[in-house]
């Protein structure tokens, strides 16, 4: 229970702190065909936190689903039940992470729809709740899962590489401090993850925000483009650079958010579980931490 509370609080705080950079990233990803007034600049200070409500609200549920599926699948692959897994095989770590990421699309797809649309809406007082209601009113449950395929692919590959990079980094770092090791490993894992899936994230953003964007002139306004259509259109109009719009903003956010998240997690765990003192137990309990993409 302490792990869940600590990881949920740390995850929510990291989301809020990293949201201004995430707004910039999403607006850059949405492309040059987006509404002209939507640039990397913030209209007001409140706009820095647009879209944050959706991931904060779903953080606890996603966190629980991610780690239950990750831990159970890793136990199955390692054939090691009800015992601590000190050094899991990196291949099994990747497979367990990929499976858990695939499972979380049930929560992450609606969250991403609401978050991204709130961040690029050309309305001064837009809220995540209004975006969710408008999406449901227009397309029902299907609207909330628009872009679900590319989102599930992004999450599956992303969490696979995140867990893999985190374990590999922890094993490679020769630091005596377990806290410093987990902080640095978490930051490295965040950067590795986004470097491997960033083009998919750009495509996902354009799929999910396309109704707010000006479609190419050869398409009728009601038409929608698939993920493959967007992938082709990005290359045709922007070349390979188009797949990495906002990439460096994302890299800075990835390291910062994960470092803050791990620091808060360790601090809250010390408050909730004062008896936790051994480095070994700290290393094991970090598997319950929320990995924020």
């Amino acid at each position: 229970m302490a792990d869940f509370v600590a990881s949920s609080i740390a995850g929510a705080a990291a989301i809020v702190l990293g949201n201004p950079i995430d707004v910039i990233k999403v607006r850059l990803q949405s492309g040059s065909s987006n509404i002209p007034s939507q640039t990397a600049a913030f209209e007001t200070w409140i706009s820095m936190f647009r879209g944050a409500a959706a991931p904060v609200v779903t953080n606890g549920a996603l966190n629980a689903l991610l780690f239950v599926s990750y831990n159970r699948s890793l136990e199955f692959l390692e054939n090691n039940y009800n015992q601590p897994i000190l050094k899991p095989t990196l291949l099994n770590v990747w497979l367990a992470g990929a499976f858990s990421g695939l499972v979380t699309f049930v929560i992450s797809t609606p969250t991403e729809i609401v978050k991204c649309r709130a961040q690029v809406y050309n309305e001064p007082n837009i809220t995540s709740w209004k975006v969710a209601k408008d999406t449901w009113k227009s397309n029902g449950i299907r609207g909330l899962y628009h872009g679900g395929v590319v989102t599930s692919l992004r999450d599956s590959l992303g969490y696979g590489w995140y867990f893999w990079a985190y374990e590999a980094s922890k094993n490679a770092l020769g630091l005596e401090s377990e806290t410093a090791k987990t902080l640095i490993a978490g930051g490295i894992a965040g950067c590795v993850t986004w470097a491997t899936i960033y083009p998919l994230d750009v495509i996902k953003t354009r799929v999910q925000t396309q109704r707010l964007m000006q479609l190419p002139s050869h398409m009728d306004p009601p038409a929608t483009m698939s993920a493959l259509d967007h992938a082709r259109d990005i290359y045709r109009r922007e070349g390979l650079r188009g797949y990495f719009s906002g990439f460096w903003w994302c890299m800075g956010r990835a390291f910062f958010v994960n470092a803050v998240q791990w620091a808060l997690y360790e601090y809250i765990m010390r408050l909730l579980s004062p008896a936790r003192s051994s480095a070994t137990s700290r290393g094991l309990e970090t598997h319950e931490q929320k990995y924020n993409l």
Side-chain angles (χ1 to χ4, degrees):
M1 187 58 164
D3 287 328
F4 176 75
V5 172
S7 59
S8 296
I9 294 175
I15 289 168
V16 173
L17 290 174
N19 201 73
I21 302 177
D22 192 55
V23 172
I24 295 174
K25 174 184 78 76
V26 169
R27 291 183 177 184
L28 291 173
Q29 285 181 335
S30 61
S32 59
S33 61
N34 199 9
I35 301 168
S37 65
Q38 298 299 320
T39 64
F42 297 117
E43 297 83 4
T44 66
W45 72 269
I46 297 177
S47 64
M48 292 191 298
F49 301 99
R50 277 189 173 190
V56 167
V57 168
T58 60
N59 173 60
L62 189 147
N63 192 22
L65 183 60
L66 175 68
F67 283 100
V68 167
S69 56
Y70 173 75
N71 288 328
R72 298 296 83 78
S73 56
L74 185 60
E75 287 177 355
F76 173 78
L77 292 170
E78 291 282 324
N79 195 24
N80 189 356
Y81 299 95
N82 300 321
Q83 293 182 10
I85 303 174
L86 295 177
K87 286 190 176 182
T89 305
L90 289 180
L91 175 60
N92 288 341
V93 167
W94 191 95
L95 292 173
F99 174 74
S100 62
L102 182 63
V103 171
T104 60
F105 102 95
V106 176
I107 298 174
S108 65
T109 300
T111 300
E112 287 291 308
I113 281 275
V114 174
K115 177 184 75 74
C116 291
R117 292 186 177 183
Q119 288 173 340
V120 301
Y121 249 125
N122 191 20
E123 294 182 21
N125 298 315
I126 195 68
T127 64
S128 296
W129 176 241
K130 185 178 187 304
V131 171
K133 288 196 300 182
D134 290 347
T135 303
W136 178 270
K137 183 178 180 180
S138 300
N139 299 287
I141 190 69
R142 291 183 62 185
L144 291 173
Y145 282 90
H146 187 63
V149 174
V150 68
T151 303
S152 62
L153 181 61
R154 181 204 72 156
D155 288 351
S156 180
L157 294 174
Y159 280 115
W161 286 116
Y162 192 105
F163 282 98
W164 180 92
Y166 176 73
E167 289 292 341
S169 298
K170 274 213 320 177
N171 293 339
L173 291 171
L175 299 176
E176 294 184 4
S177 170
E178 189 70 21
T179 299
K181 186 186 297 184
T182 54
L183 288 173
I184 297 174
I188 291 173
C191 292
V192 169
T193 299
W194 280 107
T196 57
I197 64 169
Y198 199 80
L200 283 174
D201 192 59
V202 172
I203 296 169
K204 176 204 70 69
T205 297
R206 298 204 183 188
V207 169
Q208 294 182 330
T209 61
Q210 63 185 324
R211 292 186 180 276
L212 308 177
M213 298 165 61
Q214 298 174 358
L215 294 175
S217 58
H218 65 277
M219 300 187 71
D220 296 328
T224 58
M225 298 169 66
S226 68
L228 185 58
D229 291 333
H230 276 287
R232 291 169 176 166
D233 189 60
I234 291 170
Y235 184 77
R236 179 178 60 83
R237 293 189 294 111
E238 304 169 52
L240 291 176
R241 292 181 61 184
Y243 296 114
F244 293 92
S245 299
F247 177 78
W248 292 113
W249 286 99
C250 182
M251 286 296 100
R253 174 185 176 273
F255 197 95
F256 168 74
V257 163
N258 281 279
V260 168
Q261 188 165 277
W262 282 111
L264 285 174
Y265 174 79
E266 288 290 335
Y267 175 73
I268 295 170
M269 281 300 299
R270 284 196 294 270
L271 293 179
L272 297 178
S273 303
R276 189 190 67 155
S277 57
S278 70
T280 301
S281 65
R282 286 199 297 268
L284 292 173
E285 286 165 351
T286 54
H287 282 300
E288 300 299 324
Q289 164 65 347
K290 163 80 168 63
Y291 297 83
N292 181 42
L293 289 184

